[in-house]
Amino acid sequence: MTEIHLNCTHIFFILYLIGSCLDFGINQWLEYIDFRHRKKYGREIPPEFAAYIDAATVEKTCQYEDARYKYWLPKNILGFVIALALVFSGFYPVLFNNIYSWTQNSFLIALLFTVLSSLPEAIIFLPFRLYREFVIEKRFGFSTMTLRLWIIDQLKGLLVSALLMIPLLFAMIMVLEHWNNWWWLLLGGIYVVFSLAVSLIYPAFIAPLFNKFTPLEDGELKTLLTDALTQTGFKASGLFVMDASKRSKHSNAYFTGFGKTKRVVLYDTLIAQLSPQEIKAVLGHELGHYKHHHITKKLCVMFPLIFAALFLASLFIKNPDLYTAFGFTVEPIPQIQFLGIFLISMVFGGFSTMFSPISNFFSRRDEFQADAFAKNLCGTEKTLTSSLIKLNKENLSELTEPKIYSIFNYSHPPLLERIRALSD
């Protein structure tokens, strides 16, 4: 077996270590701050929530959040250690060398490397996933999942992932091998088309593999929601109820699809927890995103960023130092440049945490706009306020949190900020 030599002093390796340590350190710090804040102030009930939430619910919320923190803490530490161990042990170049000695087919190399390189973390984190689902979520009355259903979901998820990943991976290999300096442009275009195609097929073909969707029955709720859709000019293929309670008592509502496949989906748990007027307010919030073109605007930002990221990747992908820094030999590199994309994502991935406050800032701005739209649609802020508080209560979400924590972790404004903005 070829001996693996890492170049720990190379800039690519140093950047990887800095990014990984920053990501780990920042998240550990943020979660501890939130934990400490919850110990000091988590059982206080702001006046805005007094009519909806009692001391027993707040106590249960703190216990739930503490349980999640104590689950997350060892999982995050173990993930950090494993990630470094895989790099320092030379696992990735050893894996690649063994695959390359078996086949020189670029697509098979990419497929096998993608699957096998993800196995260590998938196997090690499996007990954590089971513990969260069948211990924490069961203990606090959320999970209704059975082990049989969980296994079936995992198998279906793997099948769907394979059906989506394999064609995209094949396209990436073909582009890398035959388009030389312009591969980033074509690959970006393929990714954009692929994303839109998945949005089209998801409601009709993918989502029904996991849940049952039934048309919303005639009645007060359907009339209210249909009127709201008509009033805002939103054309949907239908209003559907999803059997979310089959797996969890957490609740939600969302739009899905694109173009003529757009549909409104309500969790059956949401219908059980809120009044028709409150559900209209929740839908009004989602319609606010539509009327303000938030999704379109995000796509107009995201797609150029994808092209920019791929262009930057093209500047590094042929640099032998990128590979040798992590123990790869450079001889077969022209045939399997997909490794460059893998290594670049590994080198710079840890720095993404530093940019989350920026994306969260713009996301929270959109959420405030959508709340204001729902308020105007309903003619009052009371129904949206009560629905937000009830959902927060039913999901055992924290009432308050440290400002710095929400800046880094919340794409939605904290509940108290939303309630006070609605009352202005």
Side-chain angles (χ1 to χ4, degrees):
M1 182 180 294
T2 304
E3 187 176 353
I4 302 301
H5 296 283
L6 303 179
N7 187 352
C8 301
T9 61
H10 195 279
I11 184 62
F12 288 119
F13 199 93
I14 293 173
L15 285 173
Y16 163 73
L17 289 180
I18 292 174
S20 298
C21 292
L22 273 176
D23 179 66
F24 174 76
I26 289 173
N27 282 291
Q28 286 284 330
W29 174 64
L30 289 171
E31 293 297 334
Y32 174 72
I33 286 177
D34 186 48
F35 174 73
R36 187 179 62 184
H37 180 274
R38 187 165 55 249
K39 289 296 183 184
K40 290 183 177 180
Y41 309 108
R43 288 161 180 79
E44 297 178 2
I45 303 176
E48 291 86 348
F49 305 144
Y52 300 90
I53 298 176
D54 56 21
T57 301
V58 173
E59 179 63 31
K60 187 177 181 180
T61 297
C62 290
Q63 292 175 2
Y64 177 58
E65 292 295 335
D66 285 349
R68 284 170 29 121
Y69 173 66
K70 292 173 183 177
Y71 152 85
W72 174 89
L73 189 61
K75 179 176 178 287
N76 190 54
I77 294 173
L78 182 60
F80 177 66
V81 172
I82 290 171
L84 292 182
L86 290 175
V87 170
F88 278 97
S89 67
F91 169 78
Y92 297 115
V94 168
L95 174 63
F96 169 74
N97 290 342
N98 279 281
I99 296 173
Y100 188 75
S101 66
W102 178 73
T103 179
Q104 284 75 54
N105 181 279
S106 299
F107 173 68
L108 285 178
I109 291 173
L111 178 61
L112 290 172
F113 184 86
T114 301
V115 173
L116 296 178
S117 65
S118 65
L119 280 182
E121 290 188 349
I123 293 171
I124 291 171
F125 288 139
L126 180 59
F128 286 91
R129 296 173 60 197
L130 290 170
Y131 181 83
R132 177 171 182 175
E133 182 67 45
F134 293 102
V135 177
I136 296 178
E137 294 296 304
K138 290 281 187 183
R139 183 195 307 166
F140 289 92
F142 288 123
S143 177
T144 56
M145 182 80 73
T146 64
L147 182 60
R148 179 178 179 274
L149 181 58
W150 187 88
I151 294 173
I152 292 173
D153 279 352
Q154 303 311 304
L155 294 175
K156 287 181 180 179
L158 288 173
L159 177 62
V160 171
S161 297
L163 292 175
L164 295 177
M165 180 192 75
I166 290 175
L168 189 61
L169 189 61
F170 179 78
M172 182 180 74
I173 296 303
M174 292 300 100
V175 169
L176 284 170
E177 287 198 346
H178 299 290
W179 278 71
N180 200 12
N181 295 330
W182 295 100
W183 65 265
W184 61 272
L185 186 62
L186 185 57
L187 185 59
I190 291 173
Y191 181 82
V192 168
V193 173
F194 177 82
S195 299
L196 296 176
V198 170
S199 297
L200 283 171
I201 67 174
Y202 178 83
F205 299 103
I206 299 178
L209 294 174
F210 299 90
N211 291 96
K212 182 179 180 181
F213 296 83
T214 56
L216 180 63
E217 295 180 355
D218 292 338
E220 178 188 3
L221 178 58
K222 184 174 183 179
T223 300
L224 282 172
L225 301 188
T226 301
D227 290 345
L229 293 175
T230 302
Q231 186 176 344
T232 55
F234 184 90
K235 296 181 180 179
S237 61
L239 294 162
F240 293 88
V241 179
M242 189 182 90
D243 62 339
S245 58
K246 185 178 180 180
R247 292 171 174 81
S248 173
K249 293 182 181 179
H250 289 295
S251 53
N252 198 5
Y254 64 91
F255 292 154
T256 185
F258 182 75
K260 293 182 179 180
T261 67
K262 287 187 299 187
R263 58 171 60 179
V264 178
V265 176
L266 307 173
Y267 284 21
D268 57 355
T269 49
L270 183 80
I271 295 175
Q273 293 168 1
L274 302 183
S275 70
Q277 289 290 346
E278 288 171 332
I279 295 175
K280 177 186 176 182
V282 172
L283 178 66
H285 172 88
E286 300 301 326
L287 288 171
H289 288 305
Y290 163 74
K291 292 299 289 186
H292 287 288
H293 308 289
H294 291 156
I295 296 176
T296 302
K297 291 175 181 177
K298 286 180 180 178
L299 291 177
C300 289
V301 173
M302 184 184 73
F303 287 154
L305 286 177
I306 290 171
F307 283 98
L310 289 173
F311 171 72
L312 290 175
S314 72
L315 301 180
F316 297 108
I317 199 172
K318 292 183 179 180
N319 186 341
D321 291 340
L322 174 64
Y323 305 92
T324 57
F326 293 92
F328 292 90
T329 54
V330 297
E331 287 80 3
I333 294 306
Q335 188 181 0
I336 41 84
Q337 294 181 82
F338 84 97
L339 269 178
I341 297 177
F342 169 78
L343 292 174
I344 288 170
S345 65
M346 194 168 71
V347 169
F348 296 105
F351 294 97
S352 61
T353 301
M354 303 297 296
F355 297 97
S356 59
I358 299 174
S359 61
N360 287 340
F361 171 81
F362 291 104
S363 178
R364 287 195 294 268
R365 184 192 61 181
D366 291 346
E367 295 302 324
F368 281 127
Q369 287 184 335
D371 281 351
F373 182 88
K375 174 182 176 179
N376 292 332
L377 179 68
C378 297
T380 177
E381 80 282 358
K382 293 181 179 179
T383 49
L384 182 58
T385 295
S386 62
S387 65
L388 291 174
I389 296 175
K390 285 183 180 180
L391 290 176
N392 194 88
K393 174 184 176 181
E394 294 294 336
N395 289 303
L396 295 181
S397 299
E398 290 181 292
L399 299 183
T400 61
E401 57 287 304
K403 184 71 173 180
I404 188 66
Y405 184 83
S406 65
I407 287 175
F408 273 89
N409 288 296
Y410 285 12
S411 60
H412 285 54
L415 178 62
L416 193 57
E417 290 184 19
R418 296 179 72 176
I419 300 306
R420 288 173 176 171
L422 282 167
S423 63
D424 289 342

